[in-house]
């Protein structure tokens, strides 16, 4: 498994990550909120009790990439993490469609790619592993305007992962596969905020990328 | 205009109609809730102050056609309305997709058509005008599984309107046109519960079917 | 229609405008509050979906013209609006009658006219269109002391509209016409704060002054 | 003074009387609510400490004369009062103007007069003194439609007081005199529910009718 | 009457005066709180509608004379009152008996007399009339330790009134007379905070000292 | 000690006993409320851990002896207690002084003595020990009217204890002694409801009557 | 895997199962509560989207085996489950130690075994699979009195599983192994109610007993 | 008794001491919170009414020795106490076991001993008596990892008490004795926060160390 004893993992993002975490620091049981972050923590603690892994939720609801970049030094770099995972961009796109009359709230593709690049630049020297999750829209129809726009942001993530040597996690593709079995409304009413099943799906995707072993059982 | 002085209009339906109305009787200002019903009432009172029209909201959140039929005598017929408008069926379909493991909450197309037919049968002798609004799903992609299923229920409404001589209001078609301009997430996060813009759109559709005159200004 | 694509409209005023808007910025769905402002927004979005018009509610409950002038640069000018609408003065008058012993809360006619003139002066160079709504008292009896005093403030608005070339909106006259059909208590218990019917009446008056077309239906 | 030691006084009415009294019995300090009833009680206790007078508030918010008649045996007669004061009718009229489309909530003049007569009939044998207060509308303009209608109900009270030998208290006339000095909005925002100044005015009117002596000071 | 048109009256004190008043300024209807201050205001407005008298509640719950002196410039002098009434000292004494182990909360007789003298000194040049009310304890037994101590503070008030030419209001004596008729627990459970009957008694005492005329009825 | 292993003790009374206990059964930690009952329980558990003693709080706030008698079979006898302690009568007296105008709420001495006698009669065959606590008024001045009246009820308790062979607990005398050291307002603001110091005093009095040994320390 | 498409699984138990589930039926997303039941549901839905499995939480906080037996027909049998899992007994034991003085709340070992046997008897004909989880106490020290007592109840579960052919799940043994790595206070502050890590551990234990495959990934 | 008239006692600690005390100063009735501190105060006031002893609760929930040291000058020394009692260290240890992944929240034995030594150093010159209570864990099994660790902190307290001449109070030993009679869950669900019985046990231990006399009864 990529995650080692004594590692500190910081998850940065928006409401998909935040989900009611404690402030100022999202740590410790309920302090982790109810997103995929607490499920990652639960599974690590349940399957690998012999390891001490510190998990921190650094998501803030409503953040765009612009907001996250502005607080990245304070909320991520300053924690000296061993592993960082970023999931940002949904609000950059969403505001273009649910608030079409308010341009200040929107972040266009060019700026998005620059913002995320600036974060990855800051992570070059510190952590051992960096994960970049695509933003997603739980809309299987790729010709939907918002989905099509979201795919541009996902493509930027893939390009940036290649450039900066991050682990690339394609949440959009994972949800697309899932929706061949069940309708997206069984995971999220608004096609963005996953329920606990959806959070479990994201957590599994992250842990798979870490080569987590679900058959691992420690023996005293 | 189809609506006459002293008419009583009863709107039956689910949460799209209910939207926080008063119980047991949804009447009188805030008692009308925040759905299209209060917008219909506001526009009637603002543009036709010379008429006295009683508007009653008889929607109940979460209702399927099965639930509405069970209370139809008490909540609609007993009020002796001059005009009745029905908008039901969204929950019949939704539960098939967001709760796929709980069949008791789902109402299949055959039962739906029988339920609505039973309501229209009860309305044959009393009210002067009956309106039947299609259930809808704010998903423009007609090959989406839930949308495709919703269209079956809409088609049933069209058939029933022909058989029983109702005014047919195609909310699905109206929203489809609107989404050629704006994305559905600007009207509803969950593609079902409209915000006040969406409620205004439904109210306009109903009033158009009533031949409401937006240029009407009474002169003392 | 006077309102163009990409316009930003700012509504300044008191509780008649505010009505529960979001702070610090009254924008975006429920953030617009429940006054005529959200009805203007709903009707624009419903009838003109092809336009992107940004609507901002800058009312603050309890404001007199003195209070509004003090915050006018920050809350109105700084937003660089294309269109501004002002409705102020009710509290200037009301405090003279409901708090006769507390002179600091009252604004007399001379100061009122100077305050509003100062606002209009600030608007000379920026926005394309400025609307000035009269304050009103929903009391049809023009010899009522408070109504008579309110009419002085309305007359000031008419004079100022002429001097500064504003669109003049006579809400008092509009309500007077309405009350030939229905009693004022059907619109407001306190003859000041309109319910949703009254808010619809004000919105219609504003939109009429903008040459809004209720028959406008965009065709894709 | 008409009120004697050991008397029980029951005040029957609507929200003007109720004003937050305790249920089921409006007695004892805060249990008396915040209407004129508690001011009557305070003044009796402060100026006549040597007397033991039991004051009961039997008002219920929203009551029309129809509602009060239906509960009159249980809430008034059963208490075996020595003195009864009735103030009813405002809602009978108000609903005609603020809810013009809902006729069930309105009580017309004929029914009103019959309802109050039926109450007075029940009081013929029990109490020593009966007071009938007119309903009122704090609108000095007697040509206002609601005021004019209210005056019909006040006139009925005068007729009934003559027939049944009640003490007649003309609250409408009292308020009319007061409004020659101050505007009605200094007493009530909705022209119906008096603030504590207005409650003091009603209490003084009742006590004057009882020949209460404000100069009375007991000497031990 | 000592009180003239356009007068501003400021009442300074502790919780007996405060009683839930608005902050920072205790004015205007419910803003006056529920102590004797609002009853003074109600009676002035009800009996003398032709006068405009501004009443301000400047009591703060829990204040001792030390606390009041510290805020006297800001809360009393700065308001430029025409009439000032002070009722302070109860907490100075009470803390000696309910918190015997916490000396910092107690104010001894010498300090009390100096504190009140300092306030009266500040009032020498400004207001036309100054009233000094004794602190009191609703305990008729003058040999009770706390009552005996309170009487020392009342005696100081009498001395100071003589020295500074204030109107002296002996609330303790007034309550003593009242308790020859009724037990103190009918006015206050804790023998300090009066209910509305007790507040009426204090208000009457103040108004009597002002030569208020309860028979005064203005004629338009 | 009179209390034995496995005993069930039931405390019956009014708000002095109740003090926020759980309903319907006042047992188990916070369920015992905050009166002397929980202090008795705490001290028994702390000093005698080797015993299992079940303590039940059966007080109900506001009860008079009339109320307690009416529920005595259900709330006391049916629990088959080994020990019963009764403290009742304060409200019987208090209502005569704080609500002098409402005779139904008052219980006079004759009825009181009959009510308590009827309770003691019911206890003749069941419990091993019965304690009767005097009602009290924390007023050291025995010529105070309410105190003098309370002493009549206390004398009745003494007579009844003799007749029925109860343990007599003179709370009034205990408080009288205490108030030679501290003022009653350090124990209760209203001279009735004790704070935790006062509750400790009552608990000590009860435990002394039970021959509780404060020096008892169990040795394993 | 033992669980098949279209199965209904009902989990019966106490607060460890309940954990905030919906009433009357614990189903559907948040309706499942926050115990191991929702984690079972999340993992089934995430890893086996091709199956439709209905999960019902029938736990009620505070239940002993006596309480569960009394409602077993209504809450379990009537749902016609395919799979039933029972986890009961913790409160049977706990009340013996935290409420030693209240015997009615305790269930002794003999009664416990009879109660669970009666439940298993009822399940003989209906469901395909029955799971019996041991009650547990997160106390690794087997000589602790409460742990030792709990082990008697766990032993009864093992005997009953043999007799009735249930799947036996030894939660106590699972937690014992876990606490060789981490202290019990990292899972539960009170050694009974697990946090989300502990709930994940129980869910894994149940799913292992069902031969759930964590490597299962459906391919469309 | 070690405690003298006019003494001020300050109790410093964590949530075991705090327990809902008032801020900024934990004094005066409910201001003392619900821990052993208010029981000490109640017993002193009940048994020694002739003494005036000021008791201050300076505990803050969640504090470790590091936190307490940081505020010791302000919260303890500045109050110039005659007697100081410290109970700290539980959180130092607890965080090592319930938050094993978050080292910043933990205080290791060496630092603990230095922190407490620094506090005792500050107390060398001021107070007459200093008490040092051991931290404790209500776990009788001394081989439990957290208990074993806690015993190291308790041993440090013993060493420091010898060095600095403090009164040493062994709470751990006291609870150990108690749990030979009753299970720890009857005192605290989490083995740390005592209920009122446990608070009584701590209070008794403190008072015994002060040579408090439970047989002391003052005679006037």
């Amino acid at each position: 498994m990529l995650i080692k004893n004594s590692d500190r993992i910081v998850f940065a993002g928006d409401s998909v990550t935040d989900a009611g975490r404690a402030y100022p620091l999202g740590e410790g049981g309920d302090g982790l909120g109810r997103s995929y972050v607490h499920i990652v923590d639960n599974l690590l603690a349940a399957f690998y009790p012999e390891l001490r892994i510190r998990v921190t939720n650094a998501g803030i609801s409503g953040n765009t990439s612009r907001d996250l970049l502005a607080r990245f030094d304070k909320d991520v770099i300053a924690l000296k993490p061993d592993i960082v995972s970023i999931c940002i961009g949904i609000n950059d796109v969403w505001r273009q469609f649910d608030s079409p009359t308010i341009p200040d709230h929107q972040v266009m593709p060019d700026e998005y790619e620059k913002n995320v690049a600036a974060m990855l630049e800051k992570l070059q020297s510190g952590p051992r592993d960096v994960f970049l999750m695509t933003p997603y829209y739980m809309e299987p129809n790729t010709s939907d305007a918002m989905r099509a726009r979201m795919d541009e942001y996902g493509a930027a993530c893939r390009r940036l992962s290649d450039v900066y040597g991050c682990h690339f996690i394609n949440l959009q593709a994972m949800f697309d596969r899932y929706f061949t079995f069940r309708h997206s409304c069984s995971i999220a009413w608004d096609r963005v905020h996953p329920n606990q099943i959806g959070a479990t799906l994201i957590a599994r995707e992250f842990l798979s990328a870490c080569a987590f072993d679900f058959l691992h059982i420690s023996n005293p």
Side-chain angles (χ1 to χ4, degrees), chain A:
Chain A
M1 188 171 63
L2 294 186
I3 307 170
K4 308 297 179 198
N5 194 19
S6 301
D7 272 0
R8 182 171 196 172
I9 316 177
V10 174
F11 292 92
D14 51 30
S15 61
V16 170
T17 302
D18 179 325
R21 68 146 168 124
Y23 279 81
L25 209 57
E27 291 189 347
D30 287 344
L32 288 166
R34 296 202 67 195
S35 73
Y36 64 92
V37 179
H38 89 118
I39 296 179
V40 165
D41 188 70
N42 294 338
L43 291 170
L44 282 170
F47 285 74
Y48 286 88
E50 72 277 22
L51 302 183
R52 292 289 174 273
I53 296 159
R54 184 173 188 174
V55 174
T56 304
N57 183 335
I60 293 186
S61 291
N63 266 205
T64 59
S65 62
R66 191 187 297 153
D67 302 316
L68 179 54
L69 178 57
R71 64 184 182 85
F72 205 76
D73 284 345
K74 177 169 65 71
D75 287 0
V76 179
I77 302 298
L79 302 182
K80 301 192 195 310
D82 301 291
I83 295 175
V84 170
S85 174
I86 298 172
C87 180
I88 197 71
I90 293 178
N91 291 310
D92 301 52
V93 177
W94 205 357
R95 293 296 90 73
Q96 301 171 37
F97 293 88
D98 74 353
S99 307
T101 65
I102 310 184
D104 340 354
H105 293 180
Q106 305 161 5
V107 176
M108 291 297 144
D110 279 1
E111 182 187 347
Y112 174 76
E113 193 153 358
K114 281 181 199 146
N115 289 339
V116 178
M119 297 178 214
L120 297 176
E121 198 68 48
K122 288 171 186 289
L123 294 170
Q124 285 302 87
S125 58
R128 194 176 68 241
D129 288 283
V130 176
F131 295 78
L132 186 57
M133 294 173 168
T134 64
Y136 59 82
Y137 189 47
M138 295 186 198
E139 166 60 72
N141 176 20
T142 55
S143 63
D144 173 271
M146 181 166 156
R147 167 65 196 268
R149 172 57 56 107
M150 196 68 79
D151 284 344
E152 298 180 43
Y153 290 65
C157 286
R158 184 183 292 274
R159 282 193 298 275
L160 291 163
S161 295
D162 288 346
V163 171
Y164 288 94
C166 309
H167 302 275
F168 175 66
I169 297 179
N170 195 335
L171 293 183
Q172 183 69 66
M174 177 274 287
F175 280 124
D176 284 352
R177 281 195 308 276
Y178 194 82
F179 297 141
T180 60
F181 293 102
R182 299 197 179 190
H183 195 270
S184 72
C185 72
S186 72
I187 299 298
W189 275 20
D190 59 6
R191 307 202 173 189
V192 167
H193 293 98
N195 58 17
Q196 293 295 297
I197 298 170
T200 302
L201 287 168
I202 299 177
R204 183 177 64 171
E205 205 70 10
F206 173 77
L207 290 173
S208 296
C210 294
F212 178 93
D213 178 5
F214 276 107
L215 299 182
H216 176 86
I217 299 178
S218 305
N219 287 308

